Protein backbone atom coordinates (compact mmCIF):
# COMPACT_ATOMS: atom_id res chain seq x y z
CA UNK A 1 0.00 0.00 0.00
CA UNK A 2 1.19 3.48 -0.77
CA UNK A 3 1.99 5.78 2.13
CA UNK A 4 3.60 9.10 2.88
CA UNK A 5 5.34 10.20 6.06
CA UNK A 6 6.02 13.80 6.94
CA UNK A 7 8.54 14.29 9.71
CA UNK A 8 7.66 17.09 12.09
CA UNK A 9 4.12 18.36 12.48
CA UNK A 10 5.44 21.85 13.29
CA UNK A 11 8.53 23.61 11.95
CA UNK A 12 9.68 27.09 12.93
CA UNK A 13 12.23 29.11 10.99
CA UNK A 14 13.40 32.69 11.12
CA UNK A 15 12.57 35.02 8.27
CA UNK A 16 15.33 34.71 5.67
CA UNK A 17 16.42 31.27 6.86
CA UNK A 18 16.35 28.02 4.91
CA UNK A 19 13.08 26.11 4.88
CA UNK A 20 13.30 22.30 4.86
CA UNK A 21 10.17 20.18 5.14
CA UNK A 22 10.66 16.43 5.03
CA UNK A 23 8.63 13.81 3.18
CA UNK A 24 9.29 10.10 2.72
CA UNK A 25 7.16 7.67 0.79
CA UNK A 26 6.83 3.93 0.53
CA UNK A 27 6.15 2.32 -2.80
CA UNK A 28 6.91 -0.73 -4.87
CA UNK A 29 6.29 1.12 -8.14
CA UNK A 30 7.42 4.53 -9.41
CA UNK A 31 5.47 7.22 -7.60
CA UNK A 32 4.06 10.56 -8.62
CA UNK A 33 4.77 13.03 -5.82
CA UNK A 34 3.18 16.34 -4.95
CA UNK A 35 3.49 19.15 -2.44
CA UNK A 36 0.44 21.19 -1.56
CA UNK A 37 0.11 24.30 0.60
CA UNK A 38 -2.90 25.29 2.68
CA UNK A 39 -3.40 28.83 3.92
CA UNK A 40 -5.88 29.49 6.74
CA UNK A 41 -9.53 29.01 5.76
CA UNK A 42 -8.62 27.85 2.26
CA UNK A 43 -8.36 24.61 0.36
CA UNK A 44 -5.08 23.00 -0.65
CA UNK A 45 -3.16 24.45 -3.58
CA UNK A 46 -0.53 22.70 -5.66
CA UNK A 47 3.04 23.89 -5.02
CA UNK A 48 4.89 21.48 -7.27
CA UNK A 49 4.86 17.92 -8.59
CA UNK A 50 7.28 15.23 -9.66
CA UNK A 51 6.33 12.81 -12.41
CA UNK A 52 9.30 11.58 -14.41
CA UNK A 53 12.52 13.07 -15.72
CA UNK A 54 14.40 15.75 -13.83
CA UNK A 55 14.57 14.92 -10.16
CA UNK A 56 14.81 18.55 -9.01
CA UNK A 57 11.42 20.15 -9.37
CA UNK A 58 10.74 23.86 -9.08
CA UNK A 59 7.41 25.16 -7.92
CA UNK A 60 5.67 28.40 -7.14
CA UNK A 61 6.81 30.98 -4.59
CA UNK A 62 10.46 29.91 -4.79
CA UNK A 63 9.95 26.40 -3.47
CA UNK A 64 11.64 23.35 -4.90
CA UNK A 65 11.85 19.64 -4.10
CA UNK A 66 14.21 16.87 -5.04
CA UNK A 67 13.14 13.30 -5.71
CA UNK A 68 15.69 10.85 -4.31
CA UNK A 69 14.76 7.30 -5.18
CA UNK A 70 17.54 5.75 -3.09
CA UNK A 71 16.24 7.55 -0.01
CA UNK A 72 12.53 7.35 -0.96
CA UNK A 73 12.35 11.04 -0.16
CA UNK A 74 10.85 14.18 -1.64
CA UNK A 75 11.86 16.99 0.70
CA UNK A 76 10.63 20.54 0.13
CA UNK A 77 13.06 23.45 0.40
CA UNK A 78 13.19 27.20 0.01
CA UNK A 79 16.46 29.12 0.42
CA UNK A 80 14.99 32.10 2.25
CA UNK A 81 11.74 32.04 4.23
CA UNK A 82 9.24 34.86 3.92
CA UNK A 83 6.51 35.73 6.37
CA UNK A 84 3.92 34.87 3.72
CA UNK A 85 5.20 31.27 3.66
CA UNK A 86 3.53 30.57 7.00
CA UNK A 87 1.01 27.86 6.19
CA UNK A 88 0.48 24.12 6.37
CA UNK A 89 2.25 21.96 3.81
CA UNK A 90 1.16 18.52 2.67
CA UNK A 91 3.12 15.90 0.77
CA UNK A 92 1.06 13.52 -1.38
CA UNK A 93 1.68 10.45 -3.52
CA UNK A 94 -0.12 8.80 -6.38
CA UNK A 95 0.66 5.84 -8.60
CA UNK A 96 -0.04 4.80 -12.16
CA UNK A 97 -1.96 1.70 -11.18
CA UNK A 98 -5.36 1.34 -9.65
CA UNK A 99 -7.91 4.12 -9.55
CA UNK A 100 -5.54 7.04 -9.15
CA UNK A 101 -6.01 7.33 -5.42
CA UNK A 102 -4.04 10.19 -3.87
CA UNK A 103 -2.63 9.67 -0.40
CA UNK A 104 -1.70 12.67 1.75
CA UNK A 105 0.76 12.99 4.58
CA UNK A 106 -0.32 14.38 7.94
CA UNK A 107 0.93 17.88 7.15
CA UNK A 108 3.60 20.21 8.53
CA UNK A 109 2.73 23.63 9.87
CA UNK A 110 5.41 26.15 9.04
CA UNK A 111 5.86 29.12 11.35
CA UNK A 112 8.05 32.00 10.20
CA UNK A 113 9.50 34.13 12.97
CA UNK A 114 10.26 37.77 12.15
CA UNK B 1 -11.85 28.19 -15.01
CA UNK B 2 -14.07 28.78 -11.99
CA UNK B 3 -12.37 26.18 -9.85
CA UNK B 4 -14.08 23.66 -7.60
CA UNK B 5 -17.13 25.24 -5.99
CA UNK B 6 -18.43 24.09 -2.63
CA UNK B 7 -21.51 25.20 -0.75
CA UNK B 8 -22.25 26.24 1.87
CA UNK B 9 -18.98 27.68 3.21
CA UNK B 10 -20.22 27.37 6.77
CA UNK B 11 -22.91 25.17 8.25
CA UNK B 12 -24.06 25.16 11.86
CA UNK B 13 -26.64 22.59 12.84
CA UNK B 14 -27.95 20.74 15.85
CA UNK B 15 -27.25 17.14 16.61
CA UNK B 16 -29.68 14.82 14.86
CA UNK B 17 -30.31 17.09 11.90
CA UNK B 18 -29.58 16.17 8.31
CA UNK B 19 -26.71 17.99 6.61
CA UNK B 20 -26.06 18.15 2.87
CA UNK B 21 -22.81 19.47 1.44
CA UNK B 22 -22.54 20.29 -2.24
CA UNK B 23 -19.74 20.31 -4.77
CA UNK B 24 -19.35 21.35 -8.38
CA UNK B 25 -16.09 20.03 -9.88
CA UNK B 26 -14.07 21.71 -12.59
CA UNK B 27 -15.55 21.11 -16.03
CA UNK B 28 -13.76 18.25 -17.77
CA UNK B 29 -12.55 16.68 -14.54
CA UNK B 30 -14.07 13.25 -14.13
CA UNK B 31 -12.56 12.17 -10.82
CA UNK B 32 -14.05 13.67 -7.67
CA UNK B 33 -12.90 13.25 -4.09
CA UNK B 34 -14.42 14.12 -0.70
CA UNK B 35 -12.02 14.74 2.19
CA UNK B 36 -12.55 15.59 5.84
CA UNK B 37 -10.03 17.63 7.81
CA UNK B 38 -9.82 17.80 11.60
CA UNK B 39 -7.10 18.77 14.03
CA UNK B 40 -7.00 15.28 15.49
CA UNK B 41 -7.08 13.16 12.34
CA UNK B 42 -5.72 15.48 9.67
CA UNK B 43 -6.89 15.08 6.08
CA UNK B 44 -8.94 11.92 5.53
CA UNK B 45 -10.23 10.63 2.21
CA UNK B 46 -13.90 9.74 2.59
CA UNK B 47 -14.88 8.63 -0.89
CA UNK B 48 -13.94 9.13 -4.50
CA UNK B 49 -15.76 8.85 -7.79
CA UNK B 50 -14.51 8.14 -11.28
CA UNK B 51 -16.88 9.01 -14.13
CA UNK B 52 -19.67 9.48 -11.56
CA UNK B 53 -19.21 5.96 -10.16
CA UNK B 54 -18.11 5.50 -6.53
CA UNK B 55 -14.78 3.67 -6.62
CA UNK B 56 -13.69 3.57 -3.00
CA UNK B 57 -15.90 4.50 -0.05
CA UNK B 58 -13.84 2.72 2.58
CA UNK B 59 -13.14 6.05 4.26
CA UNK B 60 -16.78 6.83 4.94
CA UNK B 61 -16.92 6.64 8.72
CA UNK B 62 -20.43 5.26 9.22
CA UNK B 63 -23.70 4.52 7.53
CA UNK B 64 -24.81 7.98 8.56
CA UNK B 65 -22.60 9.27 5.74
CA UNK B 66 -23.62 8.93 2.10
CA UNK B 67 -22.37 10.51 -1.12
CA UNK B 68 -23.82 10.75 -4.59
CA UNK B 69 -22.71 12.00 -7.96
CA UNK B 70 -25.78 12.09 -10.21
CA UNK B 71 -23.88 13.74 -13.07
CA UNK B 72 -20.44 14.98 -14.01
CA UNK B 73 -21.01 18.46 -12.63
CA UNK B 74 -22.49 17.83 -9.20
CA UNK B 75 -21.90 15.79 -6.08
CA UNK B 76 -23.38 15.75 -2.59
CA UNK B 77 -22.20 14.46 0.76
CA UNK B 78 -24.99 13.84 3.24
CA UNK B 79 -24.84 13.18 6.96
CA UNK B 80 -28.01 11.89 8.60
CA UNK B 81 -28.29 12.14 11.54
CA UNK B 82 -25.42 14.49 12.32
CA UNK B 83 -23.39 14.24 15.54
CA UNK B 84 -21.00 16.68 17.26
CA UNK B 85 -18.02 14.50 16.30
CA UNK B 86 -18.82 15.17 12.63
CA UNK B 87 -17.68 18.77 13.13
CA UNK B 88 -14.84 19.33 10.66
CA UNK B 89 -13.95 21.02 7.40
CA UNK B 90 -15.10 19.01 4.42
CA UNK B 91 -13.25 19.45 1.13
CA UNK B 92 -14.19 18.44 -2.35
CA UNK B 93 -11.47 18.03 -4.98
CA UNK B 94 -11.48 17.10 -8.65
CA UNK B 95 -8.94 15.82 -11.10
CA UNK B 96 -8.66 14.93 -14.76
CA UNK B 97 -8.77 11.17 -15.21
CA UNK B 98 -6.33 9.46 -17.52
CA UNK B 99 -3.27 11.34 -16.34
CA UNK B 100 -1.88 9.90 -13.14
CA UNK B 101 0.29 12.90 -12.49
CA UNK B 102 -2.49 15.43 -12.76
CA UNK B 103 -2.94 17.28 -9.48
CA UNK B 104 -6.05 17.57 -7.39
CA UNK B 105 -7.90 20.88 -7.43
CA UNK B 106 -9.54 21.67 -4.11
CA UNK B 107 -12.54 23.77 -3.23
CA UNK B 108 -12.42 26.15 -0.27
CA UNK B 109 -14.25 23.68 1.94
CA UNK B 110 -17.36 23.63 4.08
CA UNK B 111 -16.84 24.21 7.78
CA UNK B 112 -19.44 22.09 9.59
CA UNK B 113 -20.26 22.65 13.24
CA UNK B 114 -22.69 20.27 14.92
CA UNK B 115 -23.87 21.38 18.36
Amino acid sequence: AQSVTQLGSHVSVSEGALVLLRCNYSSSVPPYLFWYVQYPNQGLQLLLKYTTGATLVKGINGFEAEFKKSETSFHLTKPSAHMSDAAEYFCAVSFSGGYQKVTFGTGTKLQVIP
Amino acid sequence: DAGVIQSPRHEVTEMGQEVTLRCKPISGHNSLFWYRQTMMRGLELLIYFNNNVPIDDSGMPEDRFSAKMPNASFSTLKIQPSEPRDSAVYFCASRRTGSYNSPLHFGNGTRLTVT
Side-chain angles (χ1 to χ4, degrees), chain A:
Chain A
Q2 61 190 47
S3 67
V4 172
T5 301
Q6 290 185 241
L7 296 176
S9 58
H10 291 80
V11 171
S12 293
V13 300
S14 298
E15 190 175 15
L18 171 72
V19 176
L20 171 60
L21 304 182
R22 299 177 186 275
C23 173
N24 289 86
Y25 68 91
S26 67
S27 165
S28 58
V29 297
Y32 299 110
L33 294 159
F34 308 83
W35 275 100
Y36 288 82
V37 60
Q38 184 180 29
Y39 298 103
N41 300 315
Q42 294 185 26
L44 282 68
Q45 305 171 32
L46 181 69
L47 262 184
L48 51 79
K49 66 179 182 181
Y50 167 77
T51 55
T52 58
T55 56
L56 182 63
V57 180
K58 295 186 184 299
I60 62 172
N61 302 334
F63 283 92
E64 62 183 34
E66 186 171 10
F67 171 63
K68 292 187 176 180
K69 184 178 178 180
S70 61
E71 300 177 7
T72 61
S73 69
F74 191 57
H75 302 331
L76 182 71
T77 60
K78 182 174 181 177
S80 176
H82 192 273
M83 295 299 295
S84 61
D85 295 328
E88 189 161 16
Y89 293 80
F90 292 87
C91 183
V93 63
S94 180
F95 299 94
S96 59
Y99 290 104
Q100 305 181 35
K101 181 177 178 179
V102 179
T103 300
F104 283 85
T106 51
T108 299
K109 285 189 177 177
L110 176 66
Q111 179 186 22
V112 182
I113 303 167

